Amino acid sequence: MKNRKAAAVLGITAGILLAGCGQQTKDAQWKANENSVYVSRDGQVQSALVYSSEQFNELYNAEELKAFAEQAVAEYNAGPEQQDGATTVKVGDSADGSETEKSPVTLTSCKLENRTGYLVFDYAEPEDYLEFARFSGDNTSTITELTVTASGDAAEAGVLSGVSLMKPNGREAGTEEVLKSVDYQIVSVEGAGTICTQGRIAYISSGGEVSLKDDFTAVTGEGSHVIIFK
C-alpha cells in the first residue's frame, strides 16, 4: 500500500467482536459489526472490516479513516486489471437508457466509534473480495477462494461434486434436493473466516471445520467448505 496509514488501517489484524450477524424471522439483518463476508440471495458479496485500536484514536479520526479507505479502493480500482474494464460488471440500465457499471470495489459504509473503526465494502465479483484483501494486506481471514453458485447452475459447475452435506441439526443429507432446486445459493470457501448469509443456512459440508454461530452465520476453519442457504 502506497499510503502507510492506509496500510495500518486495512492491513492490521482486526479485533473480532463477539456479536453474530443478527437475524430476522426470514432474512438475516447483517450488522457488519465483526470481520465477516456477507452473501446476498442474488449472489452479491460484501465484507466488513472491524479494527480496534489499543489507544483512543491512535491511528486516525473518522475523516482520516474514510480517506484512507477511499484511497485504497481508488488505487485498487485503478489497477492494471481494471484499466481495460475487464472486471467491470454491468448492473443494469440508468434512467436515460444507458448501461450502468459497478466498480470492482466500493466503500459503502465507514464509521468510527471510540477505538473501533467499521468499514464495509461491496464487490462486483467474489474474486474482487479476494484480490482486494491481498492488495490491502487485510489478514482478518485466511480465505483464499470464494465462489457463489446458484443451485440451478451447480450441476454444470460441479461445485457439489464429491461433497458430503449435513443439515444444521447434524443429520447427513444428500445433494439431490439442492441440485433439483433453483432456490439455493451455494457458497464455496477455502480457508478460515466468518460467512454471513441473507437467507437461512440449510446445509453445510460435513467432515471439515465449519460450525454455525446462528441460523445465518457460519464460521469456517482451514480447508474447503460449502455453505448452502435459501
Side-chain angles (χ1 to χ4, degrees):
M1 182 68 61
K2 297 178 182 178
N3 187 302
R4 294 181 63 186
K5 286 189 176 180
V9 172
L10 296 175
I12 197 165
T13 302
I16 301 293
L17 303 185
L18 297 178
C21 294
Q23 63 188 64
Q24 297 175 334
T25 303
K26 294 183 179 180
D27 287 354
Q29 183 180 2
W30 188 46
K31 295 179 180 179
N33 59 1
E34 64 176 328
N35 295 301
S36 57
V37 176
Y38 176 74
V39 183
S40 67
R41 277 204 179 88
D42 59 1
Q44 297 298 300
V45 171
Q46 294 180 286
S47 74
L49 174 62
V50 180
Y51 169 70
S52 293
S53 173
E54 293 182 359
Q55 298 180 13
F56 187 78
N57 285 343
E58 178 187 38
L59 296 176
Y60 45 68
N61 58 37
E63 291 76 19
E64 288 177 325
L65 174 61
K66 183 178 180 181
F68 299 151
E70 287 178 338
Q71 178 182 334
V73 168
E75 290 179 2
Y76 176 81
N77 287 342
E81 295 81 2
Q82 284 73 47
Q83 289 174 355
D84 60 3
T87 63
T88 302
V89 174
K90 297 176 181 178
V91 295
D93 296 330
S94 63
D96 62 3
S98 61
E99 289 184 331
T100 59
E101 296 181 338
K102 183 174 182 178
S103 297
V105 182
T106 304
L107 177 68
T108 62
S109 178
C110 177
K111 64 180 179 178
L112 182 63
E113 295 180 352
N114 297 320
R115 299 204 251 322
T116 302
Y118 302 85
L119 301 170
V120 178
F121 302 94
D122 182 57
Y123 303 94
E125 300 286 352
E127 183 64 24
D128 287 309
Y129 160 71
L130 301 172
E131 292 295 335
F132 184 64
R134 286 190 282 266
F135 174 84
S136 63
D138 175 9
N139 60 356
T140 58
S141 78
T142 63
I143 295 175
T144 57
E145 293 184 26
L146 177 70
T147 62
V148 184
T149 308
S151 55
D153 301 322
E156 182 177 353
V159 294
L160 293 181
S161 178
V163 175
S164 299
L165 298 177
M166 66 180 182
K167 296 183 178 182
N169 61 13
R171 294 183 179 179
E172 294 184 0
T175 61
E176 297 80 8
E177 179 180 345
V178 178
L179 292 174
K180 70 181 181 182
S181 172
V182 295
D183 296 330
Y184 293 100
Q185 287 287 354
I186 303 167
V187 184
S188 302
V189 182
E190 180 77 30
T194 298
I195 307 296
C196 301
T197 60
Q198 182 179 5
R200 194 179 302 273
I201 295 173
Y203 306 94
I204 57 176
S205 53
S206 60
E209 295 182 14
V210 55
S211 61
L212 297 182
K213 183 182 290 187
D214 57 45
D215 291 343
F216 303 92
T217 311
V219 179
T220 63
E222 299 300 335
S224 299
H225 315 282
V226 169
I227 301 155
I228 302 174
F229 69 95
K230 193 170 185 177

